[in-house]
Amino acid sequence: MKEGNAAMTNTNIESLWPEEDFGVPEITPPIVILRHQAYALGQKTRNVLEGAVVQQINPSGGSAYLEETFYIQAPLLGGYRYYLFHVNHKAFPIYPLNIYSDERQQKPIKVDDEEEFRGALRQIFASEKTKNVIQSLLAQSLSETAS
């Protein structure tokens, strides 16, 4: 079987897709939300720190699982990256999804929709652990510029 969508030479076959378009998606994919938060971290720290999001696609049987990992990155410390959390979800449907806020965390935070996802991120970003990591990396990064 040959795969692909090469131009067809037989123009007598009509499209079987519905006439109407598929509309504008009403959901913001997690990767878009995470990339925006990565950018926002840079803005908040005057780019001394940056967020970095890495996406990995893991095919599994008939469906694919996507994993997005969020790092806090310190460019002035040789690009050091601190793992903050990762998100795991199916390509379809996106929700529910799981957030693992620790590399060794066995029990994920289960999120059923986009609103819950945003709320969970808000909690992770406002946690004492996250604030301590950011303060430590800022202090070390700023000491590098003073040298």
Side-chain angles (χ1 to χ4, degrees):
M1 174 190 263
K2 188 174 181 181
E3 290 186 34
N5 60 353
M8 302 297 293
T9 55
N10 186 345
T11 57
N12 293 328
I13 300 174
E14 79 279 6
S15 169
L16 302 176
W17 292 99
E19 289 293 322
E20 69 274 0
D21 66 23
F22 294 103
V24 177
E26 295 181 16
I27 190 168
T28 306
I31 187 75
V32 173
I33 295 168
L34 294 174
R35 286 180 178 153
H36 184 78
Q37 297 312 308
Y39 175 79
L41 176 62
Q43 295 295 299
K44 208 160 176 58
T45 64
R46 296 187 179 110
N47 293 318
V48 174
L49 301 180
E50 304 168 341
V53 180
V54 176
Q55 184 179 62
Q56 185 174 340
I57 301 172
N58 303 312
S60 174
S63 64
Y65 280 86
L66 284 75
E67 182 175 291
E68 289 99 15
T69 304
F70 192 98
Y71 296 94
I72 297 173
Q73 187 167 289
L76 296 172
L77 299 177
Y80 171 77
R81 284 182 169 185
Y82 177 85
Y83 168 93
L84 192 59
F85 64 88
H86 75 272
V87 175
N88 191 320
H89 61 90
K90 290 182 181 180
F92 176 81
I94 293 174
Y95 295 98
L97 61 74
N98 292 314
I99 302 173
Y100 296 85
S101 61
D102 186 325
E103 288 178 290
R104 293 177 296 268
Q105 183 179 2
Q106 298 298 315
K107 187 173 182 188
I109 301 165
K110 185 179 178 198
V111 174
D112 290 321
D113 57 37
E114 186 176 328
E115 185 177 336
E116 282 185 27
F117 180 52
R118 289 174 186 262
L121 292 179
R122 201 172 274 112
Q123 288 181 332
I124 292 169
F125 294 145
S127 74
E128 285 303 311
K129 176 183 171 186
T130 300
K131 288 192 251 183
N132 289 338
V133 168
I134 289 172
Q135 289 169 351
S136 177
L137 292 175
L138 278 173
Q140 293 175 77
S141 295
L142 294 173
S143 72
E144 286 298 309
T145 61
S147 302

